[in-house]
């Protein structure tokens, strides 16, 4: 009889654990929008969104990201597109792709590498050129950069 | 007696179906109207409100006609499935009329000019639990194994002829000789259903996550609750159904009075139907009826993806690797019919049940 009681108690404990495990939510929430009609390629939009998430710490180092399969199914696009985005993020050192653990934010984020400086220079050059053509002052341009930088740092804290 | 029983069962099944069908436009997501994508705030557009009212009236008249026809027929048994089917088919045509009307109305509006269409992603959506563990189905498995063990433990005591087919009220319409094969019939179907329920539970977890861009946090949360509730419902009702089938087998072997089983079956049907109604009205499709505080972003709108929805009900998108998506005009999920695996799964489940009937039935 006493043996039986232990089994029932154990069974109840097992069911209780099963129920509790079912209700836990891990990780924090990072929500981003994609514009499928945009001229910016979708893989680029995904790359930008994830780097933004990492910059604002909505995505923390080591945090899991959705698998290629589930992300492409949720967006409703070809898996190659998501795979391309993840490959770019991996090559730049922002994410790790494990065979078993899946995709996650890199625990060691990349530093200021020469290749990044090159990219930064090229992009700023284009934008600055257009700003000059349109008559935007140097101060207004610098102010824009400072504002965006500040906003992201504020988001980090908040 | 038998026909009165059929009539009561008809009412129990038909009234809730007609109720859900009539109320469907307010059970769907706020981003859909008669299978047509709309910006969420247009849900309260007076024209759409009027359309919902007219649809409900039409659907209600249809239900009353079916009920009157049922009362007029003397032979309730063949009338039951025929009228139910006729009601469902004609109510689809009522839906389709409003689907066309809605499409025409949408074409005249400029809903997508000032807003940006977006697809919203929540990177942590799948790191939360969306369904309850398949481990719960161990209970159902134990029940069906118990049915088998019990049947063969008392094999010698079982009468040589056992009932195989029942009318809805529990009276036997076909008998079979006792054999290992006839005794395995119900347990095998129990196991088949168990497999089906596990499949549905997995499907609930994997189905496409659609998040409304104008209120993403609340929408993602609603969707997770929606999945968890239906997962719990499938596990509970599935286990209960397997229990009922086990009891039916046991009662067959011991000639329990058929009316006892008839009453038990009715109680079971009432529980399933009441549960479905309560769940549908409190949760809504995709969790749309769950009240949550929401931060709204009025500059974004859900994507206008009508071209992938044939007749507003069949999802057909070759680019989309998703197998399962939420229904548009209905509650629950449907397949992406452009995905070959969708067809394989559907045909697979049909072939298995036909094979079971072939080998074990007679």
């Amino acid at each position: 009889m006493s043996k039986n009681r232990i089994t029932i108690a154990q069974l109840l404990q097992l069911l209780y654990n099963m129920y509790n495990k079912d209700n836990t939510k891990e990780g924090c929430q990072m929500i981003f929008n994609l514009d499928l009609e945009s001229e910016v390629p979708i893989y680029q939009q995904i790359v930008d969104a994830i780097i933004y998430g990492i910059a604002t710490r909505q995505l923390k180092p080591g945090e899991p990201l959705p698998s290629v399969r589930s992300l492409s199914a949720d967006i409703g696009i070809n898996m190659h597109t998501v795979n391309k985005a993840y490959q770019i993020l991996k090559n730049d050192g922002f994410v790790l792709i494990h065979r078993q653990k899946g995709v996650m934010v890199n625990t060691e984020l990349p530093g200021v590498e020469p290749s990044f400086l090159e990219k930064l220079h090229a992009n700023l050059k284009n934008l600055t050129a257009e700003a000059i053509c349109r008559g935007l002052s140097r101060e207004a341009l610098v102010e824009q950069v400072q504002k965006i930088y500040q906003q992201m740092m504020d988001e980090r804290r908040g | 007696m038998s026909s009165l029983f059929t009539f009561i069962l008809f009412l129990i099944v038909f009234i809730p179906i007609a109720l859900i069908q009539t109320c469907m436009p307010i059970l769907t997501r706020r981003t859909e109207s008669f299978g047509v994508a709309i910006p969420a705030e247009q849900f309260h557009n007076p024209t759409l409100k009027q359309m919902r009212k007219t649809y409900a009236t039409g659907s209600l008249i249809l239900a009353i006609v079916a009920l009157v026809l049922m009362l007029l027929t003397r032979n309730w048994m063949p009338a039951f499935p025929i009228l139910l089917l006729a009601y469902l088919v004609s109510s689809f045509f009522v839906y389709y009329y409003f689907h066309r009307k809605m499409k025409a109305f949408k074409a005249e509006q400029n809903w997508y000019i000032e807003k940006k269409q977006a697809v919203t992603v929540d990177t942590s959506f799948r790191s939360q639990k969306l369904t309850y563990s398949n481990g719960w189905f161990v209970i159902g498995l134990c029940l069906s194994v118990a049915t088998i063990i019990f049947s063969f433990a008392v094999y010698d005591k079982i009468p040589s002829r056992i009932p195989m087919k029942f009318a809805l009220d529990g009276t036997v319409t076909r008998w079979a000789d006792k054999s290992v094969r006839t005794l395995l019939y119900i347990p095998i179907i129990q196991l088949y259903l168990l497999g089906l329920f596990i499949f549905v539970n997995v499907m609930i977890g994997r189905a496409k996550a659609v998040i409304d861009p104008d209120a993403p946090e609340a929408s993602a949360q609603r969707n997770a609750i929606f999945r968890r509730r239906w997962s719990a419902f499938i596990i509970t009702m599935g286990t209960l159904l397997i229990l009922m089938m086990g009891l039916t087998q046991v009662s067959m072997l011991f000639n329990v009075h058929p009316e006892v089983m008839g009453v038990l079956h009715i109680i079971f049907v009432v529980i399933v139907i009441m549960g479905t109604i309560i769940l549908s009205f409190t949760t809504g499709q995709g969790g749309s009826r769950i009240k949550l505080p929401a931060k709204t972003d009025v500059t974004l709108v859900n994507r206008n993806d009508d071209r992938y929805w044939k007749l507003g009900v069949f999802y057909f998108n070759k680019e989309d690797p998703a197998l399962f998506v939420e229904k548009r005009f209905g509650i629950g999920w449907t397949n992406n019919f452009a995905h070959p695996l969708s067809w394989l799964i559907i045909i697979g489940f049909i072939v298995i049940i036909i094979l079971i009937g072939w080998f074990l039935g007679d």
Side-chain angles (χ1 to χ4, degrees):
Chain A
M1 195 61 209
S2 66
K3 253 187 188 173
N4 265 342
R5 235 178 254 151
I6 292 165
T7 346
I8 290 166
Q10 280 171 340
L11 184 73
L12 285 177
Q13 186 66 45
L14 190 82
L15 293 179
Y16 180 78
N17 289 346
M18 216 149 80
Y19 182 80
N20 264 334
K21 201 179 123 227
D22 286 348
N23 274 321
T24 51
K25 180 173 175 168
E26 299 148 21
C28 47
Q29 204 175 25
M30 145 84 175
I31 285 175
F32 63 87
N33 296 302
L34 299 173
D35 181 357
L36 301 194
E37 259 68 40
S38 163
E39 283 171 30
V40 182
I42 299 168
Y43 72 85
Q44 191 60 51
Q45 293 184 47
I46 298 172
V47 169
D48 293 343
I50 288 175
I51 293 180
Y52 180 85
I54 297 172
T56 54
R57 296 250 170 95
Q58 284 170 284
L59 291 174
K60 304 215 161 41
E63 190 167 309
L65 289 171
S67 69
V68 172
R69 184 176 293 274
S70 75
L71 186 55
S72 50
D74 284 348
I75 305 171
I77 51 168
N78 203 301
M79 284 202 272
H80 296 305
T81 311
V82 174
N83 200 30
K84 191 168 176 181
Y86 276 166
Q87 285 306 324
I88 291 171
L89 287 165
K90 182 190 156 193
N91 291 339
D92 289 351
F94 287 103
V95 305
L96 296 172
I97 303 177
H98 285 283
R99 204 159 277 236
Q100 277 107 25
K101 283 189 238 166
V103 189
M104 61 183 221
V105 179
N106 202 339
T107 41
E108 279 172 58
L109 293 175
V112 187
E113 288 148 10
S115 61
F116 167 68
L117 283 175
E118 235 171 77
K119 188 169 120 187
L120 180 74
H121 185 259
N123 283 342
L124 280 179
K125 194 172 156 189
N126 291 338
L127 285 172
T128 309
E130 192 172 343
I132 290 171
C133 292
R134 291 175 184 273
L136 188 77
S137 74
R138 179 205 296 241
E139 288 73 27
L141 181 68
V142 172
E143 200 192 305
Q144 282 293 326
V145 178
Q146 276 173 341
K147 224 165 110 185
I148 292 169
Y149 199 103
Q150 194 53 47
Q151 253 170 19
M152 290 191 197
M153 295 314 275
D154 289 347
E155 250 185 85
R156 229 177 209 210
R157 280 180 220 109
Chain B
M1 175 61 205
S2 158
S3 31
L4 182 67
F5 211 93
T6 313
F7 186 67
I8 292 170
L9 200 62
F10 177 77
L11 291 183
I12 291 174
V13 174
F14 182 77
I15 291 174
I17 288 178
L19 177 72
I20 288 194
Q21 205 61 29
T22 303
C23 298
M24 197 56 86
I26 57 161
L27 298 178
T28 63
R29 280 180 179 241
R30 299 288 182 271
T31 51
E32 268 125 38
S33 178
F34 298 105
V36 176
I38 57 166
E41 79 270 8
Q42 293 299 334
F43 190 78
H44 302 290
N45 184 314
T47 312
L48 269 62
K49 266 188 185 166
Q50 189 53 49
M51 277 173 77
R52 288 199 289 270
K53 265 188 202 158
T54 327
Y55 166 88
T57 314
S59 185
L60 207 61
I61 291 171
L62 214 67
I64 291 166
V65 169
L67 270 179
V68 169
L69 283 177
M70 187 70 184
L71 274 171
L72 290 178
T73 40
R74 296 227 182 115
N75 213 341
W76 278 333
M77 192 38 222
F80 181 172
I82 293 169
L83 274 174
L84 197 60
L85 194 69
Y87 172 76
L88 289 176
V89 170
S90 44
S91 98
F92 176 80
F93 282 107
V94 174
Y95 150 79
Y96 189 61
Y97 170 78
F98 284 94
H99 173 70
R100 294 283 299 266
K101 218 173 141 176
M102 183 62 225
K103 250 187 163 169
F105 178 68
K106 181 179 169 179
E108 293 165 6
Q109 312 299 313
N110 298 320
W111 288 339
Y112 293 93
I113 285 177
E114 280 164 24
K115 296 185 175 205
K116 218 167 98 182
Q117 294 180 42
V119 173
T120 304
V121 178
D122 173 358
T123 57
S124 62
F125 189 74
R126 273 161 214 287
S127 51
Q128 65 188 318
K129 270 277 184 181
L130 296 172
T131 55
Y132 291 95
S133 163
N134 277 324
W136 288 103
F137 286 112
V138 169
I139 301 170
L141 184 69
C142 290
L143 285 171
S144 64
V145 169
T147 310
I148 298 176
I149 292 173
F150 179 79
S151 305
F152 289 98
V154 296
Y155 192 84
D156 297 334
K157 291 178 193 148
I158 297 169
S160 60
R161 262 158 49 91
I162 54 171
M164 282 301 282
K165 222 174 176 182
F166 296 84
L168 291 168
D169 60 345
T171 44
V172 182
T173 54
R174 196 155 57 84
W175 294 84
D177 292 334
K178 176 172 83 173
S179 72
V180 173
R181 213 171 56 132
T182 46
L183 286 186
L184 274 179
Y185 193 49
I186 283 188
I188 295 287
I189 291 180
Q190 281 178 316
L191 292 175
Y192 170 82
L193 289 173
L194 199 64
L196 189 69
F197 294 137
I198 291 173
F199 169 78
V200 171
N201 197 34
V202 170
M203 185 273 295
I204 292 176
R206 298 232 172 126
K208 182 197 280 291
V210 177
I211 296 169
D212 298 339
D214 62 337
E217 284 93 356
S219 174
Q221 213 180 329
R222 281 194 191 103
N223 198 264
I225 297 171
F226 170 66
R227 289 177 202 235
R228 279 201 292 268
R229 285 187 187 172
W230 276 104
S231 168
F233 185 74
I234 289 289
I235 293 169
T236 326
M237 293 305 149
T239 307
L240 209 56
L241 176 62
I242 287 166
L243 175 69
M244 281 302 303
M245 294 181 74
L247 289 178
T248 307
Q249 168 102 333
V250 171
S251 76
M252 272 178 2
L253 304 182
F254 289 102
N255 285 329
V256 173
H257 201 282
E259 269 172 24
V260 176
M261 285 323 289
V263 169
L264 266 183
H265 286 156
I266 287 222
I267 292 173
F268 173 70
V269 170
V270 168
I271 291 174
V272 171
I273 284 180
M274 287 306 290
T276 311
I277 287 186
I278 292 169
L279 202 49
S280 302
F281 279 87
T282 54
T283 311
Q285 173 69 325
S288 59
R289 292 179 71 80
I290 301 169
K291 298 256 180 316
L292 285 175
K295 277 184 283 171
T296 51
D297 181 347
V298 289
T299 61
L300 294 175
V301 66
N302 48 294
R303 197 157 73 106
N304 182 10
D305 53 359
D306 289 344
R307 69 199 139 157
Y308 301 122
W309 286 88
K310 309 299 173 203
L311 308 180
V313 287
F314 299 108
Y315 186 60
F316 201 94
N317 183 357
K318 275 184 191 162
E319 296 297 309
D320 191 346
L323 265 174
F324 310 105
V325 294
E326 267 178 35
K327 280 183 190 168
R328 278 220 156 168
F329 192 75
I331 289 170
W333 293 266
T334 180
N335 287 79
N336 176 5
F337 290 102
H339 203 303
L341 202 56
S342 275
W343 293 98
L344 268 177
I345 291 168
I346 296 168
I347 292 168
F349 274 113
I350 294 172
V351 166
I352 295 171
I353 194 68
I354 288 173
L355 287 179
I356 291 174
W358 191 295
F359 287 118
L360 292 175
D362 45 6

